Amino acid sequence: MGTSQRMKKREMKKNLTALLIIAVFAVIVFSVNSIGKFIAEKVIQPVMNLNVAKDERIVTNTVKIEALEIYGVGAGQFQDAASAEETVKKMKDGGGAGYVLETADGFTVLASCYTDKEWAESVKEKLSSSFDQVSVFPLKGDELSVKITGTKAQAELIAQAFSSLRTTVKEMVDLCVEADKGDVTRLQACTQIQLCRNDTAKQLEQLKALESGNRVVTVLEEMFTCVNTALGEMPESSDDAFAQKLKHASASLVGEYINFYTSLE
């Protein structure tokens, strides 16, 4: 065999080796990409159950829920809700909320809820002549952090929903104080309630659009549904029982919010 033929064979061998290396590299790259795609589509995304476009980046964000402290004015201590019925009727007839709240010591009947402790204490003094065991007690949640996994836009939407929920509950409670003091008319209160109702409907619609099986989002949806129902049951400003029903709506929202908050801890 001539020198030129040997050189050609060596050259062919080198070329074949190079092609083999390129082919192996291509297989590895393709496999890594396929595995990454498989994990993203079959493992990560189903866990979150969020509709995420393939080109959107999935991240984990921490959503901070601001602390909210509210003071409930309640009467009586009962072993069960049924035993409180007589007090509920008397409370409603007197213009109070008449909302039965479960506490660590049993059940009490809320007259109303306030963000102003001094005002709550003044209401307690007025009720003490008509009801037994009237007390003021805090209904609060400290600042809480919740981790949300999804796209940045989804995390921002959920953070906005948490903020909106807290704002709505607080505004409804504040309306009770303003109504008691005569700082707002019934018509003004109705206008504020309608704004809360519109925002609640918007937040609920956006949450449902996520089509998420995530526990936090599901509980958040349920809470907004409760708020939507409570606001929807508020009567027109001409209703003589408007003030009483405002207190009941705000008290029920506070009760549901505390339960909701506890479920996230």
Side-chain angles (χ1 to χ4, degrees):
M1 181 181 295
T3 302
S4 64
Q5 287 182 329
R6 285 197 297 271
M7 290 179 67
K8 286 181 179 179
K9 281 190 174 183
R10 287 174 185 170
E11 191 66 30
M12 288 179 63
K13 189 174 181 179
K14 287 180 181 178
N15 291 339
L16 286 171
T17 301
L19 287 171
L20 181 60
I21 291 171
I22 291 171
V24 170
F25 180 75
V27 169
I28 291 172
V29 171
F30 176 78
S31 299
V32 170
N33 287 339
S34 297
I35 291 170
K37 184 178 180 182
F38 175 83
I39 291 173
E41 293 182 353
K42 305 300 182 183
V43 179
I44 296 176
Q45 191 163 321
V47 169
M48 293 184 300
N49 280 323
L50 293 172
N51 288 332
V52 180
K54 293 181 180 179
D55 60 343
E56 289 187 279
R57 185 183 173 194
I58 296 171
V59 295
T60 298
N61 290 274
T62 299
V63 175
K64 287 189 177 181
I65 305 172
E66 289 184 55
L68 178 62
E69 186 161 13
I70 292 170
Y71 299 93
V73 182
Q77 285 294 335
F78 306 93
Q79 291 184 343
D80 52 64
S83 301
E85 285 305 312
E86 184 177 338
T87 302
V88 168
K89 184 179 183 308
K90 183 178 178 182
M91 186 74 74
K92 286 184 175 181
D93 289 345
Y99 178 80
V100 180
L101 178 74
E102 185 173 6
T103 68
D105 300 320
F107 295 83
T108 190
V109 180
L110 284 180
S112 192
C113 294
Y114 305 98
T115 51
D116 185 334
K117 187 177 181 180
E118 288 186 10
W119 188 260
E121 290 288 353
S122 69
V123 172
K124 170 194 167 184
E125 292 304 316
K126 293 176 183 178
L127 290 175
S128 294
S129 60
S130 303
F131 295 90
D132 296 326
Q133 296 178 284
V134 181
S135 60
V136 173
F137 48 91
L139 295 165
K140 66 177 183 177
D142 296 324
E143 185 179 280
L144 185 66
S145 295
V146 178
K147 291 188 179 299
I148 301 294
T149 301
T151 67
K152 182 180 179 182
Q154 289 167 340
E156 288 176 351
L157 187 151
I158 293 169
Q160 182 186 52
F162 274 115
S163 177
S164 171
L165 178 59
R166 178 188 179 281
T167 298
T168 296
V169 173
K170 185 177 183 302
E171 285 184 354
M172 287 294 291
V173 171
D174 285 340
L175 268 180
C176 289
V177 179
E178 292 168 358
D180 279 355
K181 292 181 178 180
D183 291 342
V184 294
T185 64
R186 289 183 184 179
L187 186 58
Q188 289 172 327
C190 277
T191 300
Q192 184 61 46
I193 291 168
Q194 184 59 53
L195 291 174
C196 290
R197 188 182 297 150
N198 293 343
D199 185 61
T200 296
K202 175 186 173 183
Q203 299 298 333
L204 185 56
E205 183 180 356
Q206 290 178 334
L207 288 171
K208 287 182 176 179
L210 291 176
E211 297 180 354
S212 170
N214 180 279
R215 184 185 71 85
V216 173
V217 178
T218 299
V219 175
L220 194 53
E221 277 186 46
E222 291 173 353
M223 183 60 205
F224 268 105
T225 300
C226 288
V227 174
N228 201 38
T229 300
L231 296 179
E233 291 176 349
M234 280 300 299
E236 297 295 325
S237 60
S238 58
D239 193 311
D240 291 337
F242 180 84
Q244 184 276 319
K245 290 181 179 178
L246 174 60
K247 287 185 174 69
H248 186 273
S250 65
S252 66
L253 290 183
V254 170
E256 292 294 340
Y257 183 80
I258 296 302
N259 290 336
F260 161 77
Y261 183 93
T262 302
S263 73
L264 298 177
E265 291 181 313

